Amino acid sequence: MACWARDLPAQTDAGTRQLSHDIFKQLIEINTTDSVGSTTVAAEAMARRLRDAGFPSGDVVVLGPNARKGNMVARLHGTGAHRPVLLIGHLDVVEARRSDWTTDPFQFIEKDGYFYGRGTQDMKSDDAIWITVFMLLKKEGFTPDRDLILALTADEEGGLSNGVDWLLKNHRDLIDAEFVLNSDGGGVNTENGKPVMVSMDASEKLYADFQLTVTNPGGHSSLPVPDNAIYHLANALVRLEHFQFPLELNEVTRTYFQRMASVASGQEAADMRAILRNPPDASASSRLARDPLENATLRTTCVATRLEAGHANNALPQTARANVNCRILPGHTREEVRQALVGVFADPKVEVGYVEHSGRVLDSAPDAMALPPVKLRPEVMDTLDKVAGQMWPGVPVIPTMSTGASDGVYTNAAGLPTYGISGVAIDMDDVRAHGRDERVRVESFYQGVDFYYRYLKALTSGH
Ligand SMILES: [Zn+2]
């Protein structure tokens, strides 16, 4: 075990290590890709483990829209002093080809202090941790002060049967909760195994694609006219290049910059403090915005990602198209952003359509999904500060706004505030989720078991 962890009381005894190891191995070796895999097989295997550990059959169910996309829902009953907490994790994994990998991606291999296999980072490690902790709590006869509901689900990475969405639409009663913990987000960020910060995703940006289209009658390229589809589109994109959405902070990003300022030093720390003043310091924010992550935390971003125009070398273009991808701050709608883009381009020839998940392009964007920033609930934050303080003394806990998206999109939209929390440590330069030779440190996995065992107990012990 690494030296920074030596003061820990040994919570993960040999039996617990073996149990969590076996569950992790079992999950990695069940193929749950969208192409040929099945989350049902994994869901049934986990359900069997919980029933064998003493969970009544009625409290562990596997259900889904079809035979291959099953989800497992299990409930550990509490005293009912508070409304339940829902824990979500996805069982599906991204495709992985044997030829791209050094080892077989669907074999659980321990090598040089790491576990290798598809899903070791994203996120069968955390699925295995939750099943292990549920079994431990059951064995101890622990009664939480609220029900703990665990949902292990399908199609987070792709596919058409997202399990969280399906459960919310079809079995809301089964998973309804006061708030949600999603171990697909957050975690311990390490450098060479040494913890730097414990991050908690407390907010997510909203994803949107917009299609810019310019059409023109075209003609022979030997007789050019000023009204050219490519020029209209190119000018619109140059305007976008020079446009910035305004700086806007919410409770989560304010706390992020407050806490980061205590970790950072020099000019960077001073700039983080300066943007928290009212009004925020403009030169400080433009210095911070040179870092892509800080910039994405400060504002909604939109960027050109694809371009397509013309049909022949010797013809004036009849169509020019671009895709603009936006990541929208909580509290704003996609339609608001679409209208902002129309204003930026200031050219009626440039049509701005909204691209649906299916690829269909609509004249306007949905207005409904205006997710407000998630409130930093004291029971969630204080418990995390406490447990992280025991396990990683002196390492700051930092709430973050995820610039990507997870299943939290569905739970947040359904009114269940969602927090991304995980005790698994990953080196910041070793993020291999979705990539080849995915791996997690052996000790990081066992610490992740210890973390959630402590966290769930602390969270639900008589508040
Ligand atoms: Zn994931």
Side-chain angles (χ1 to χ4, degrees):
M1 191 171 275
C3 61
W4 42 265
R6 93 190 139 217
D7 295 326
L8 277 182
Q11 294 279 330
T12 36
D13 54 77
T16 301
R17 285 168 81 100
Q18 190 63 50
L19 175 68
S20 60
H21 169 280
D22 294 350
I23 296 170
F24 196 9
K25 174 177 160 71
Q26 184 178 25
L27 281 173
I28 294 292
E29 296 187 351
I30 297 171
N31 187 325
T32 54
T33 58
D34 185 40
S35 59
V36 297
S38 164
T39 59
T40 306
V41 177
E44 290 289 3
M46 295 303 106
R48 204 169 310 121
R49 286 206 178 252
L50 292 181
R51 286 187 206 112
D52 289 350
F55 280 80
S57 297
D59 289 340
V60 185
V61 291
V62 173
L63 64 184
N66 61 59
R68 223 156 57 81
K69 302 290 184 181
N71 309 288
M72 191 213 75
V73 180
R75 183 178 296 251
L76 180 68
H77 289 275
T79 62
H82 302 278
R83 292 185 55 219
V85 177
L86 171 64
L87 317 172
I88 57 172
H90 63 83
L91 287 168
D92 61 314
V93 291
V94 173
E95 307 293 331
R97 274 199 298 261
R98 176 67 188 92
S99 54
D100 294 338
W101 280 52
T102 311
T103 58
D104 182 342
F106 299 100
Q107 283 238 299
F108 187 68
I109 289 166
E110 184 175 346
K111 199 174 68 173
D112 310 325
Y114 287 89
F115 292 127
Y116 285 82
R118 171 56 89 222
T120 47
Q121 286 192 3
D122 185 13
M123 58 165 288
K124 286 176 167 173
S125 40
D126 282 287
D127 297 334
I129 286 167
W130 269 340
I131 292 291
T132 306
V133 172
F134 258 49
M135 289 172 72
L136 293 177
L137 296 179
K138 189 71 179 176
K139 193 170 146 204
E140 280 174 21
F142 176 74
T143 307
D145 65 2
R146 58 206 316 167
D147 287 7
L148 291 171
I149 307 166
L150 172 60
L152 300 182
T153 61
D155 279 5
E156 192 273 341
E157 302 290 3
L160 299 169
S161 308
N162 182 278
V164 174
D165 188 33
W166 187 84
L167 286 168
L168 284 165
K169 285 185 178 137
N170 297 284
H171 296 276
R172 172 87 186 228
D173 52 312
L174 207 56
I175 57 164
D176 210 20
E178 190 170 341
F179 59 89
V180 180
L181 304 179
N182 177 8
S183 55
D184 201 15
V188 185
N189 298 357
T190 47
E191 267 168 15
N192 302 315
K194 192 179 164 356
V196 176
M197 65 185 241
V198 177
S199 68
M200 173 184 79
D201 284 347
S203 201
E204 281 186 9
K205 286 179 115 176
L206 187 59
Y207 180 107
D209 283 313
F210 297 98
Q211 188 177 75
L212 279 46
T213 309
V214 185
T215 52
N216 188 281
H220 203 287
S221 63
S222 63
L223 297 170
V225 292
D227 182 20
N228 178 303
I230 289 179
Y231 295 155
H232 278 282
L233 183 68
N235 281 317
L237 295 176
V238 169
R239 281 169 170 264
L240 179 62
E241 181 192 358
H242 296 291
F243 172 75
Q244 254 186 346
F245 281 86
L247 177 152
E248 188 183 311
L249 296 170
N250 56 48
E251 190 198 358
V252 172
T253 55
R254 275 187 174 280
T255 312
Y256 168 80
F257 282 115
Q258 267 157 19
R259 291 192 173 199
M260 282 299 280
S262 65
V263 188
S265 56
Q267 183 74 56
E268 196 188 13
D271 286 345
M272 286 176 171
R273 290 193 182 96
I275 59 156
L276 293 170
R277 283 184 213 123
N278 200 3
D281 184 289
S283 51
S285 83
S286 60
R287 270 192 303 273
L288 281 180
R290 285 183 211 140
D291 180 300
L293 177 61
E294 310 303 7
N295 183 52
T297 305
L298 288 167
R299 54 174 51 88
T300 292
T301 61
C302 289
V303 62
T305 53
R306 299 179 81 165
L307 195 58
E308 175 192 27
H311 56 284
N313 287 351
N314 58 2
L316 298 173
Q318 290 178 352
T319 335
R321 275 200 195 96
N323 187 80
V324 168
N325 180 252
C326 299
R327 306 301 174 113
I328 304 166
L329 283 182
H332 295 277
T333 67
R334 293 168 166 124
E335 178 57 15
E336 228 181 298
V337 170
R338 195 191 69 83
Q339 286 177 14
L341 291 176
V342 170
V344 169
F345 304 145
D347 181 350
K349 290 256 177 189
V350 180
E351 286 167 38
V352 184
Y354 171 71
V355 186
E356 277 189 323
H357 188 55
S358 67
R360 201 157 60 115
V361 181
L362 309 177
D363 291 343
S364 65
D367 240 330
M369 287 261 280
L371 303 179
V374 183
K375 270 209 86 54
L376 295 174
R377 309 173 77 89
E379 67 265 52
V380 173
M381 277 301 286
D382 296 351
T383 308
L384 184 57
D385 280 335
K386 188 181 126 197
V387 175
Q390 291 165 358
M391 294 190 61
W392 303 286
V395 177
V397 174
I398 314 246
T400 49
M401 178 175 64
S402 168
T403 54
S406 75
D407 277 341
V409 146
Y410 299 103
T411 44
N412 275 320
L416 310 180
T418 303
Y419 306 88
I421 295 178
S422 166
V424 176
I426 293 174
D427 278 357
M428 286 180 283
D429 62 357
D430 197 41
V431 176
R432 299 185 181 199
H434 300 199
R436 62 190 286 278
D437 294 344
E438 189 177 343
R439 65 181 188 176
V440 69
R441 272 203 173 80
V442 169
E443 287 310 320
S444 296
F445 171 68
Y446 293 130
Q447 285 220 330
V449 176
D450 189 16
F451 169 81
Y452 252 121
Y453 173 80
R454 294 174 187 230
Y455 186 81
L456 288 183
K457 275 186 102 164
L459 184 71
T460 60
S461 291
H463 286 280

